[in-house]
């Protein structure tokens, strides 16, 4: 018969996580088949123990084999399919173990050559082996943490009736100006093709220069003017050449924007709720914090306590505190704090780690320090904005009310020396049914760093990109 | 007091969707406050009716005002905050209406100037007004549909124990070759800066040329070799100059990849389950299909019926059927079907619309027609792959088993004329605990087009980009 209409019976077999989390079987043993990779093998005289993991959860499953039924190529890193009985374990540290009836080595792994050895490997070595890095326990736990955090985020925003939207990655808008954006052109008109630079304008794929987005905010505002409450998780790009442990050239940013709010405190409130909700994702903590810094973990746990609101203080008050400390302390800061100057990293860390001892929203910065789109306060000097500073990380979130009054906005565009014609559409959003609105942006890798205790954001993303470095 | 620790009491007020979907109030009327935009106003002698919508759902809420309490600037497009009593409606077509006590126009909207008028507007006009397009009912419904589909996807994959991961957008890999990729460089080294083309190599930001991804698959395979089951929803880019209703320069692709499967039919099965699960997201259908094509809607509903498996047929059998029809029909095809030639759009549509009358998986194409990474079948001529063809859309999904045998893979790389050194890391994945695995990619905007009846994918994304066109 030519057309085969058939009901496929294949479904995905249970993972180790599903097997281990299913309710205790009534019969003393349950026959299962599972697949995964060997994490360790201990060959004893009368028995072989092998830990098998399929990446579905931190803990592997201990398989117990008879020595004569243990293949010689059952080595660390090999992939296997195993049949056996899942029984309650008498050993310590595990509820179940697998009494193996048959094992099939699907893919061998030469233990001499395999770069991912059991002992801890230097961070640089793993960066060089980016394609294998996810096979380490820590990296896999970090990837699962990202997944849990995202699910928690989606649930929180669904409950608040926000819509998840996609904003463009390619934009004509060199949003924050300066030389930190990436430019995009089709391969045929790139410099390496040998065309003369003059031909670039005619050959623009989009009829005008295209850049990679540095923030989805302006686009989100256009959508919030229809759907009221929107958010996105989007890749963002900065051609930043500084090599810090907080910066990547390609990173993910959660940005939310919503209409009909009047106070910057309302934005802070949503941020605090969102984050406290996320901080409950602690399924990977046992592994991630195993050798981690106890002070940091306690600080994180403290921040996640429900019912204890995070501190809020104005920039003006923050500067006063910084100045007081700078004047009284023998050490002081490298940069003298003063009203109207940006807060330096040392200031931000002192505020959250020393003064407050936890996350702190610093609000109402001078307008000269912030982008044109933030809503002017009535004092004429500050804008209705905040930075959320958290211990050991620094700035995690930035947000504000947006200027919804078109005359104020046009004035700010001029004052910031931006080209009015480039922001025509953005001003236009205020012409028809403008609403008070605001939002925020959260650096996703920094959040993962905070939650996992992994210090460098390069280890908080599967395949990091930074200046001079792009593997795969 | 300097540090204000206070429990903020602000929470987001209920949206119209939440108000309308909450259980029927016990008291005959409920006092509410809500915000939104005016969709229409009907001023009668003794009463004014205004429909207000906040974008949370398709239906607005009818507000009933006294004429002397109706502000003169309550016009289509204006944003308002309204207090009133939510009461059961006596009118047709709605369960509730709002008896207004106070209305505050937050943002006026000059009805003469407002481009988004009530009547249907030409598609081209809305594309030119991309920043306002989301304010139309259809576009807002499309955005909400994207959101529901994504939530449904995430739930399905969570239940199957897949992890949601992020793969890089910037890659050194000109994956599928040819001139259809975009090249990325920092602004300072772009052609327009006037540097000579020769300097481009030294000034590469990443020390080597960077491209925008065309597919996440190869990276997903690296992660599936640790987590077993992974998926991503990622922007993808093609510098395609063809102007069809199925192509964008920037689009979103759902890609899933998993280990430990042996048959391409298992991939088809997961695709079918995923899609049938998604097709249940019909909350926006009433609006989207209001003036839609009945044939298309019936075809969609037929495809979503549980218990009726989708047809599968081999490429070889498909070509036989096409040839039979081509020989017997007076009209025939423009392109003669023959084994070894690519299926043309007309062939794909005939297969799904005429022969099968529904979605059809066409499997096992000749290896010469498919990328190097697909797993070779034992016949030495075909690969273990499929395209899912759906009526009125054509190819919606493509997938395959991946070649997990390193010797076969190296041979395929050579046969396809690719540079072995560029795929070193990819071959390396097969050296250590290789597993049989496979996956698929689904064009998200095509899916939305299929589900919404919106013919052109340019209307299936908030801010579309295509050759010569990038607004905002």
């Amino acid at each position: 018969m030519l057309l085969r209409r058939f009901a496929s019976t294949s479904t995905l077999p249970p993972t180790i996580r599903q097997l281990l989390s299913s309710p205790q079987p009534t019969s003393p043993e349950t026959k299962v088949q599972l697949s995964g990779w060997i994490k360790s093998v201990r060959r004893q005289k009368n028995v072989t123990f092998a830990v098998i993991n399929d990446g579905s959860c931190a803990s592997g499953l201990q398989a117990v084999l008879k020595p004569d039924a243990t293949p010689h190529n059952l080595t660390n890193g090999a992939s296997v399919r195993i049949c056996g009985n899942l029984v309650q374990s008498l050993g310590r540290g595990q509820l179940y173990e697998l009494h193996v009836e048959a094992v099939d080595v699907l893919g061998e792994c030469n233990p001499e050559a395999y770069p991912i050895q059991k002992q801890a490997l230097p961070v640089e070595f793993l960066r060089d082996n980016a394609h294998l890095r996810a096979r380490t326990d820590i990296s896999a736990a970090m990837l699962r943490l990202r997944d849990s955090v995202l699910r928690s985020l989606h649930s929180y925003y669904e409950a608040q009736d926000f819509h998840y939207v996609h904003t463009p990655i390619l934009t004509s808008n060199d949003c924050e100006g300066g030389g930190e954006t990436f430019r995009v052109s089709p391969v045929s008109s790139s410099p390496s093709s040998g065309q003369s630079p003059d031909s670039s304008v005619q050959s623009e794929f989009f009829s005008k220069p295209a850049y990679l987005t540095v923030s989805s905010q302006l686009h989100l505002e256009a959508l919030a003017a229809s759907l009221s409450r929107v958010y996105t998780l989007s890749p963002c790009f900065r051609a930043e050449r500084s090599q810090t442990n907080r910066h990547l050239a390609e990173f993910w940013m959660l940005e939310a924007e919503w209409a009909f709010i009047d106070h910057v405190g309302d934005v802070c409130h949503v941020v605090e709720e969102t984050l406290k909700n996320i901080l409950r994702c602690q399924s990977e903590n046992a592994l991630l914090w195993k050798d981690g810094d106890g002070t940091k973990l306690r600080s994180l746990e403290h921040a996640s306590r429900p019912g204890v609101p995070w501190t809020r203080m104005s920039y003006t008050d923050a500067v006063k505190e910084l100045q007081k400390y700078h004047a009284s302390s023998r050490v002081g800061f490298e940069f003298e704090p003063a009203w109207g100057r940006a807060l330096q990293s040392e200031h931000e860390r002192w505020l959250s780690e020393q003064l407050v001892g936890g996350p702190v929203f610093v609000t109402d910065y001078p307008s000269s320090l912030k982008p044109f789109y933030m809503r002017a306060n009535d004092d004429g000097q500050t804008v209705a904005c905040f930075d959320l500073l958290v211990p050991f990380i620094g700035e995690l979130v930035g947000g504000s009310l947006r200027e919804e009054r078109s005359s104020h906005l046009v004035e700010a565009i001029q004052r910031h020396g931006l080209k009015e014609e480039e922001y025509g559409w953005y001003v236009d959003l205020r012409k028809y049914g403008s609403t008070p609105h605001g939002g925020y942006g959260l650096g996703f890798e920094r959040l993962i760093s905070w939650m996992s205790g992994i210090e460098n954001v390069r280890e908080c993303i599967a395949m990091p990109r930074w200046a001079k470095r792009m593997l795969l």
Side-chain angles (χ1 to χ4, degrees), chain A:
Chain A
M1 195 183 75
L2 178 63
L3 299 180
R4 282 175 288 145
R5 284 186 185 267
F6 59 88
S8 170
T9 54
S10 75
T11 49
L12 294 175
T15 60
I16 290 179
R17 192 196 65 76
Q18 288 170 329
L19 284 176
L20 296 181
S21 64
S22 57
Q24 211 155 310
T26 44
S27 67
E29 49 184 51
T30 315
K31 187 153 286 189
V32 297
Q33 179 186 306
L34 56 85
S35 306
W37 292 270
I38 299 298
K39 289 287 173 174
S40 69
V41 184
R42 252 184 323 135
R43 290 170 198 268
Q44 296 184 350
K45 200 174 161 202
N46 297 319
V47 66
T48 301
F49 295 105
V51 174
I52 176 174
N53 195 324
D54 62 2
S56 60
C57 58
S59 62
L61 182 61
Q62 177 160 282
V64 184
L65 301 97
K66 297 209 178 83
D68 55 357
T70 307
H72 70 282
N73 54 2
L74 194 81
T75 58
N76 184 24
S79 68
V80 292
R81 187 167 285 152
I82 297 189
C83 284
N85 287 307
L86 195 64
V87 302
Q88 291 183 32
S89 176
L90 301 174
R92 275 183 308 176
Q94 69 232 358
L95 278 173
Y96 294 102
E97 62 187 24
L98 187 71
H99 289 184
V100 176
E101 294 186 340
V103 55
D104 190 7
V105 173
L106 302 174
E108 298 191 355
C109 185
N110 178 353
E112 310 291 313
Y114 188 38
I116 307 301
Q117 297 300 328
K118 275 214 71 180
Q119 64 273 26
L121 294 162
V123 139
E124 276 299 345
F125 175 83
L126 288 170
R127 287 180 191 162
D128 291 343
N129 286 278
H131 61 302
L132 302 174
R133 192 168 71 158
R135 301 185 186 198
T136 63
D137 288 348
I138 289 281
S139 191
M142 179 280 291
L143 291 170
R144 286 190 299 265
L145 177 65
R146 287 180 71 108
D147 171 88
S148 324
V149 167
L150 288 171
R151 292 190 193 281
S152 161
L153 263 173
H154 285 307
S155 313
Y156 176 79
Y157 275 111
E158 183 174 15
Q160 305 293 323
D161 233 357
F162 277 66
H163 285 98
Y164 176 36
V165 295
H166 291 113
T167 48
I169 311 305
L170 299 174
T171 165
S172 55
N173 217 319
D174 176 7
C175 183
E176 311 210 349
E180 296 200 343
T181 42
F182 287 104
R183 179 95 146 67
V184 173
S185 47
V187 164
S188 56
S189 68
S190 72
S192 62
S193 72
Q195 290 196 349
S196 84
D198 304 330
S199 71
S200 67
V201 175
Q202 296 96 296
S203 70
E204 287 294 351
F205 183 83
F206 295 107
S207 309
K208 55 176 138 175
Y211 305 95
L212 292 182
T213 185
V214 297
S215 156
S216 306
Q217 181 205 314
L218 307 194
H219 295 109
L220 281 180
E221 286 184 62
L223 301 179
S226 161
L227 299 178
S228 290
R229 302 176 187 175
V230 292
Y231 71 104
T232 194
L233 183 84
S234 178
C236 290
F237 303 86
R238 300 232 173 133
E240 187 143 11
R241 290 182 194 273
S242 67
Q243 304 269 359
T244 81
N245 63 5
R246 303 193 308 159
H247 290 93
L248 293 164
E250 172 180 315
F251 56 101
W252 288 77
M253 189 133 80
L254 174 82
E255 292 180 274
E257 197 72 30
W258 62 105
F260 308 112
I261 45 166
D262 301 304
H263 304 289
V264 72
D266 296 345
V267 185
C268 298
H269 181 62
V270 168
V271 168
E272 187 172 335
E273 291 283 300
T274 311
L275 283 173
K276 284 187 168 168
N277 199 53
I278 286 171
L279 293 180
R280 289 187 211 122
C281 301
Q282 291 170 338
S283 53
E284 303 293 333
N285 273 5
L287 196 158
L288 286 168
W289 288 92
K290 200 174 45 153
D291 308 313
D293 179 332
T295 318
K296 288 189 182 179
L297 179 57
R298 276 190 300 279
S299 157
L300 183 70
E301 286 168 348
H302 185 78
S304 64
R305 285 203 312 205
V308 182
W310 293 351
T311 300
R312 303 183 193 183
M313 66 193 303
S314 71
Y315 165 89
T316 302
D317 287 343
V319 168
K320 280 183 197 155
E321 288 293 322
L322 289 163
Q323 286 174 322
K324 217 189 295 176
Y325 174 77
H326 188 66
S328 69
S329 155
R330 225 159 38 91
V331 192
F333 297 111
E334 189 185 343
F335 296 91
E336 195 186 331
W339 201 97
R341 290 196 201 145
L343 297 187
Q344 299 296 322
S345 197
E346 56 173 348
H347 303 145
E348 295 180 342
R349 293 196 54 169
W350 183 82
L351 288 167
S352 66
E353 289 163 29
Q354 304 298 322
L355 182 67
V356 170
V360 52
F361 290 100
V362 179
T363 66
D364 303 290
Y365 284 65
S367 42
S368 59
L369 295 178
K370 290 290 179 184
F372 73 97
Y373 49 72
M374 293 188 172
R375 192 179 198 276
N377 285 327
D378 290 343
D379 63 16
Q381 296 201 299
T382 60
V383 285
C385 72
F386 71 90
D387 281 358
L388 173 65
L389 313 177
V390 304
F392 312 109
I393 300 290
E395 184 193 336
L396 180 64
V397 184
S400 78
L401 296 185
R402 320 307 188 183
E403 188 55 80
E404 88 280 10
R405 300 161 294 186
S406 60
S407 59
H408 285 70
L409 182 62
V410 170
E411 203 185 290
I413 288 171
Q414 291 163 346
R415 200 173 55 245
H416 281 79
L418 299 168
K419 291 181 198 149
E420 251 181 280
E421 61 275 21
E422 282 188 13
Y423 296 92
W425 70 267
Y426 186 69
V427 174
D428 223 32
L429 298 178
R430 278 74 179 163
K431 281 194 191 146
Y432 312 110
S434 186
T435 63
H437 66 287
Y440 72 89
L442 176 156
F444 194 67
E445 283 74 26
R446 289 190 187 178
L447 174 63
I448 296 299
S449 172
W450 188 36
M451 291 182 67
S452 66
I454 298 172
E455 275 192 31
N456 198 315
V457 289
R458 292 173 189 175
E459 272 65 65
C460 295
I461 188 169
M463 290 155 192
R465 277 86 178 82
W466 68 90
K468 306 213 175 301
R469 183 50 90 89
M470 178 183 54
L471 295 182
L472 316 187

